[in-house]
Amino acid sequence: MGEGGLTHLAAVASPPAPPKTRRIPASGRRRKPILPRVWHFASFGAPGVLVYLCFVMAPILISFGYSLTNYNPFNPPVKFVGFDNYRLLFTDEQFLTALKVTTVLTLIVVIVPNVLGLGVALLLDRKGRLYNALRSVFFTPVILSSVVVSIVWSRLLDDRGPLDSLLRALGIEHPPGWLSDPDIALYSVASIVSWQMLGFCVVVYLAGLQGVPSELLEAAEIDGAGPLRRFRAVTWPLLAPSLTINTVVLLISAFKTYDYVKVITNGGPGSGATATIAFNVLQTGFDSNHVGYASAMAVLMLVVVAVVTTVVLNFLRRREVDL
Amino acid sequence: MRRSLALGAAVLLALGGCSVGSNTGGNGGDQEITFLTFETPNLTPAYWDAAIKRVTDKNPGIKVKKLVAPTADGRTSYAKQLLQSGQFPDVLIAVDSAGFAEAGNLYAWTPEELKDFQFPDANPVKGKYYQLPANTQTIPPIYYNKKMFADAGITTTPKTWAELEADADKLEEKGFPPFAIGGGKDGFPSSMILSGLVSTEVYTKVPDWLTQRRRDKVKFADPAFQTAFSKLADLAAKGYVDKTNVSRDYAATEQAFLDGKSAMYPMGNWFAANADTKKHDFEVGVFNFPTEDGKLVVPAYTGGGMIVNAKAAHLDAAKKFALGFQLDKDQLDASVKADGLFPAIKGYTPPGDVGPTFKAGYDLYTQAVQQNAVVHAFRWETADDGLLPGMKDKVDQAAQDVITGRKSVADACAFLDTEWAKAG
């Protein structure tokens, strides 16, 4: 073998260096160019971002803009009034009443379906056809239109409706004015909203209950824990995420209650007995044409909902973390 | 990229194609106009379809697209929503012209176009006339159950307020609830008695009271208004007006009277249509709203007709349709039978086959016109002499507050003044 042959061997043993182009990553796949990657993510995100900007952010910003004016589409010109609308809100008896009504309604709608929903879910957390059927029964109101529910309940609770007729037949000559007594009407409306939301809570709690490991419950039982202790020590802490979901959803739903009030009582009886903030916003904006003032109410409501929801969410999440 | 641009262009074209208000008409030379109606138990979809057909048959170049307000009582609010979203219809019926007119959205009718109307100067807005004064409604006469009156020993209908209270007392003693009122999602049945009281007591002394209220020369808290309002409070305090009834909507209120649950029903004359056609097992009578001294005073509202969008694509067609609708004899007869209206058209006489309740109410109104005893109907005015936007609901609320005992008359009047200041 001559020198030339060695050279040839050396050439075979050490292959020529690759051409200086792009580096191939360790995985063996080529790194994609940055710009197409941005385009890739943008194409996924754009529709959502566009919808969010157009239908959430833009209306909020426009509303805030309106809230700083005296805008009335039927009484031009529009004038900038700064924070006057906000200042007026805090001396407006109707708005303060609406704030009170919304707070009471929210408290009821957050607490009642949560408590009853948990109870019903515990009862229905068993196997068998009957339980499946009962779950459907409890969930049915959730899928009904709130307007339909409102019409049906307003007929049932009417002074000459079946409930009062039954009470009269039982000897109660003057049944409560469910929708006509200003001191009762709000509780009636809140009960109707709670009734419809109950099924939602039941389903969420049932899902949570099915996620509780049976080994933990069995272990607790072996350790001598009774049903109540097992619920308190094992089930309830593990239901924390369900409680968070239910509370936040109910909180937001209750704050923006409009449809039930509009259909059942139209804000009455009388001046504002059941008028929520959302109801007042629509009335002020569309009936009285005071879009600027109504926008101030809407913005304030948004802030209140955001603050309350954030606080509640943080509190409930911390509880989940502490488990 | 080219594909994305094409897709974007297609979306834009599609959106452009969907835009409202092109109104180009579909069939050949037809001029399409949009017409906002509303539906009630009296004014059914079939009524409107027949009415539209009647006019378009006589005006073949006009094609009408019917729109229906989601609720009868909320039709003006709905029209506002349509205006704000750029979908204001070309023709609207029984929608308050106030607000729309001042903002330049309505066509102002000329005296020549109004020459066939009996009261061409009804409902002026800054001196111009935007709503066709198509019909008159008396609000409220009091309908009554003749059998209950007879059973309670009442032989003549009351003319004074004292007589009305005495009759209510007799009815109550006999176990007949005196008045049917309502409320719920329809506020106006709760303020009917208040409307009658203010019209007959306050307006007889100050006929342009609401015009003066707009100038801040009078207030709701003034003694005259409070005195009238306190009579409603007295009826409620005595139990003649049942506070539990404020949860009943309009349809249920009417049904309660027709079912014989109450002896008297203060309601607009449109009730006559149902009194003459709906099933009930007693004879319905009607008398004018009583006054303090028994003098004849009949509250009435003339208007309720069509308004036309000043910016309608086919303005002439819209005007032609509106005038054709409101002046057509067959259509007027149909409105009399369906909704108990009193057409305010020169030379018009109702058809001979109208029901007895309508006829009785029409006779009462005709006598009042002859004796020059007609005043405005409080809460129902719609122009410069009307309540400010949003105030009708507040009047209904104030009436309910007094009926349920939640507010005193003084507090309810103060509430109305506060709300008026906010609405101004």
Side-chain angles (χ1 to χ4, degrees):
Chain A
M1 229 180 245
E3 203 176 320
L6 280 173
T7 309
H8 173 75
L9 279 174
V12 172
S14 55
K20 282 186 180 176
T21 52
R22 273 178 263 171
R23 286 176 64 191
I24 297 171
S27 64
R29 292 171 64 189
R30 286 187 173 189
R31 179 178 287 176
K32 288 185 178 172
I34 291 171
L35 207 62
R37 199 163 52 174
V38 170
W39 171 245
H40 173 79
F41 284 114
S43 64
F44 268 108
V49 170
L50 204 64
V51 167
Y52 183 75
L53 288 176
C54 290
F55 297 108
V56 180
M57 288 314 292
I60 289 173
L61 291 174
I62 291 169
S63 289
F64 182 67
Y66 281 155
S67 75
L68 303 177
T69 69
N70 68 342
Y71 178 48
N72 176 340
F74 297 97
N75 193 14
V78 183
K79 282 183 198 157
F80 179 77
V81 296
F83 286 93
D84 279 1
N85 285 331
Y86 291 92
R87 266 194 291 275
L88 278 175
L89 278 178
F90 292 102
T91 53
D92 181 349
E93 195 189 323
Q94 287 270 94
F95 177 74
L96 296 175
T97 306
L99 195 63
K100 191 175 141 198
V101 164
T102 308
T103 307
V104 172
L105 185 114
T106 303
L107 283 173
I108 295 172
V109 170
V110 168
I111 294 169
V112 173
N114 251 322
V115 172
L116 292 180
L118 178 63
V120 173
L122 286 169
L123 289 174
L124 295 182
D125 186 30
R126 289 147 219 245
K127 284 175 184 163
R129 276 186 196 168
L130 178 67
Y131 291 105
N132 283 338
L134 281 173
R135 284 174 197 176
S136 302
V137 168
F138 274 98
F139 190 68
T140 304
V142 181
I143 60 169
L144 294 176
S145 146
S146 55
V147 173
V148 171
V149 166
S150 302
I151 291 171
V152 170
W153 274 104
S154 57
R155 290 277 179 271
L156 290 173
L157 297 178
D158 185 272
D159 180 50
R160 300 283 180 269
L163 182 62
D164 277 8
S165 302
L166 179 71
L167 291 175
R168 285 195 187 93
L170 293 172
I172 301 169
E173 206 174 319
H174 299 290
W178 304 110
L179 301 175
S180 56
D181 187 331
D183 298 328
I184 297 176
L186 175 60
Y187 299 100
S188 300
V189 173
S191 303
I192 294 166
V193 182
S194 301
W195 175 80
Q196 189 168 23
M197 295 307 289
L198 176 65
F200 175 80
C201 291
V202 170
V203 167
V204 173
Y205 279 125
L206 267 173
L209 284 171
Q210 280 160 17
V212 176
S214 54
E215 306 87 61
L216 285 180
L217 292 168
E218 283 161 14
E221 197 174 358
I222 291 165
D223 286 346
L228 263 180
R229 183 78 193 272
R230 284 204 300 276
F231 174 77
R232 199 159 51 87
V234 180
T235 310
W236 180 238
L238 291 175
L239 283 179
S242 306
L243 176 68
T244 307
I245 293 168
N246 282 337
T247 304
V248 172
V249 169
L250 292 172
L251 193 68
I252 295 170
S253 307
F255 260 115
K256 59 183 185 140
T257 301
Y258 167 77
D259 37 10
Y260 299 94
V261 174
K262 180 69 187 168
V263 176
I264 300 170
T265 59
N266 201 23
S271 50
T274 56
T276 56
I277 298 175
F279 180 82
N280 264 16
V281 169
L282 272 289
Q283 292 286 97
T284 308
F286 287 112
D287 284 352
S288 305
N289 310 330
H290 290 151
V291 177
Y293 191 58
S295 299
M297 273 187 220
V299 170
L300 197 68
M301 187 172 91
L302 178 78
V303 172
V304 171
V305 172
V307 169
V308 173
T309 308
T310 308
V311 170
V312 170
L313 198 61
N314 277 343
F315 174 75
L316 292 173
R317 280 253 172 91
R318 207 176 300 143
R319 195 174 156 269
E320 287 175 34
V321 172
D322 287 343
L323 283 175
Chain B
M1 192 69 173
R2 212 177 266 173
R3 199 180 294 169
S4 306
L5 281 172
L7 184 69
V11 169
L12 283 174
L13 281 172
L15 287 173
C18 291
S19 66
V20 178
S22 50
N23 278 359
T24 48
N27 295 336
D30 281 357
Q31 296 192 317
E32 186 176 272
I33 56 169
T34 49
F35 172 35
L36 180 68
T37 66
F38 59 98
E39 288 166 5
T40 68
N42 294 0
L43 304 174
T44 60
Y47 167 85
W48 291 113
D49 292 340
I52 292 167
K53 187 172 182 308
R54 210 172 278 128
V55 184
T56 51
D57 282 352
K58 290 177 184 169
N59 297 279
I62 300 173
K63 191 180 169 197
V64 176
K65 185 178 174 188
K66 185 181 76 169
L67 309 172
V68 183
T71 62
D73 209 24
R75 56 189 180 254
T76 299
S77 301
Y78 184 59
K80 286 176 189 173
Q81 288 177 37
L82 292 177
L83 177 67
Q84 290 181 52
S85 58
Q87 304 172 85
F88 195 49
D90 298 324
V91 180
L92 308 87
I93 192 163
V95 166
D96 292 359
S97 56
F100 297 105
E102 293 92 323
N105 297 298
L106 301 185
Y107 171 76
W109 298 99
T110 64
E112 174 60 21
E113 286 164 331
L114 296 174
K115 68 179 169 31
D116 294 319
F117 293 89
Q118 206 177 348
F119 305 106
D121 52 356
N123 302 317
V125 176
K126 294 191 164 74
K128 291 185 177 175
Y129 302 96
Y130 297 93
Q131 186 169 41
L132 291 175
N135 53 67
T136 301
Q137 293 154 35
T138 50
I139 313 170
I142 297 181
Y143 295 91
Y144 69 102
N145 183 321
K146 286 190 176 178
K147 187 174 179 303
M148 284 184 181
F149 266 50
D151 289 349
I154 305 167
T155 51
T156 55
T157 53
K159 284 193 169 50
T160 67
W161 189 256
E163 287 170 2
L164 179 80
E165 284 189 314
D167 289 347
D169 198 33
K170 285 179 191 167
L171 289 161
E172 181 82 358
E173 269 179 30
K174 200 75 184 167
F176 303 134
F179 290 98
I181 61 148
K185 66 179 193 284
D186 308 306
F188 69 92
S190 55
S191 63
M192 275 293 174
I193 296 175
L194 179 64
S195 286
L197 285 164
V198 174
S199 305
T200 55
E201 294 202 10
V202 179
Y203 286 5
T204 44
K205 294 180 187 92
V206 187
D208 61 342
W209 193 88
L210 272 178
T211 308
Q212 297 209 25
R213 183 64 192 84
R214 283 181 176 234
R215 292 175 190 152
D216 268 340
K217 288 187 176 172
V218 293
K219 288 198 183 297
F220 292 101
D222 288 350
F225 194 92
Q226 285 207 42
T227 305
F229 207 158
S230 63
K231 288 183 175 168
L232 172 62
D234 288 345
L235 292 183
K238 288 173 183 165
Y240 298 161
V241 172
D242 185 352
K243 66 179 181 180
T244 62
N245 289 353
V246 297
S247 66
R248 265 193 321 219
D249 64 17
Y250 171 43
T253 308
E254 180 178 291
Q255 197 55 50
F257 176 69
L258 290 171
D259 289 344
K261 301 270 168 61
S262 304
M264 290 183 274
Y265 181 39
M267 184 46 61
N269 70 292
W270 53 85
F271 169 66
N274 280 350
D276 285 331
T277 53
K278 279 194 171 176
K279 194 184 159 198
H280 51 88
D281 59 2
F282 59 91
E283 206 179 326
V284 177
V286 58
F287 57 87
N288 284 320
F289 200 89
T291 55
E292 188 64 28
D293 56 4
K295 199 179 157 195
L296 178 68
V297 179
V298 173
Y301 164 73
T302 296
M306 287 174 162
I307 53 177
V308 168
N309 179 354
K311 295 158 193 162
H314 302 299
L315 182 59
D316 284 341
K319 284 157 53 182
K320 201 180 209 182
F321 174 76
L323 286 169
F325 190 103
Q326 305 277 216
L327 296 172
D328 181 77
K329 170 82 169 93
D330 293 337
Q331 170 52 27
L332 293 172
D333 288 351
S335 72
V336 166
K337 288 179 183 172
D339 209 24
L341 301 177
F342 302 159
I345 309 298
K346 284 177 186 167
Y348 176 81
T349 48
D353 59 344
V354 292
T357 316
F358 175 90
K359 193 171 180 323
Y362 190 73
D363 289 346
L364 289 174
Y365 168 66
T366 310
Q367 287 162 19
V369 173
Q370 284 164 357
Q371 294 181 38
N372 201 20
V374 177
V375 293
H376 285 182
F378 170 66
R379 183 205 177 278
W380 294 85
E381 306 97 322
T382 54
D384 280 349
D385 54 0
L387 289 162
L388 292 174
M391 281 301 295
K392 286 184 180 179
D393 279 345
K394 307 299 176 192
V395 169
D396 300 339
Q397 288 175 5
Q400 288 182 14
D401 278 335
V402 166
I403 291 168
T404 56
R406 198 177 183 216
K407 278 194 171 101
S408 67
V409 169
D411 287 345
C413 291
F415 163 76
L416 287 176
D417 279 322
T418 307
E419 292 303 313
W420 183 277
K422 277 160 58 182

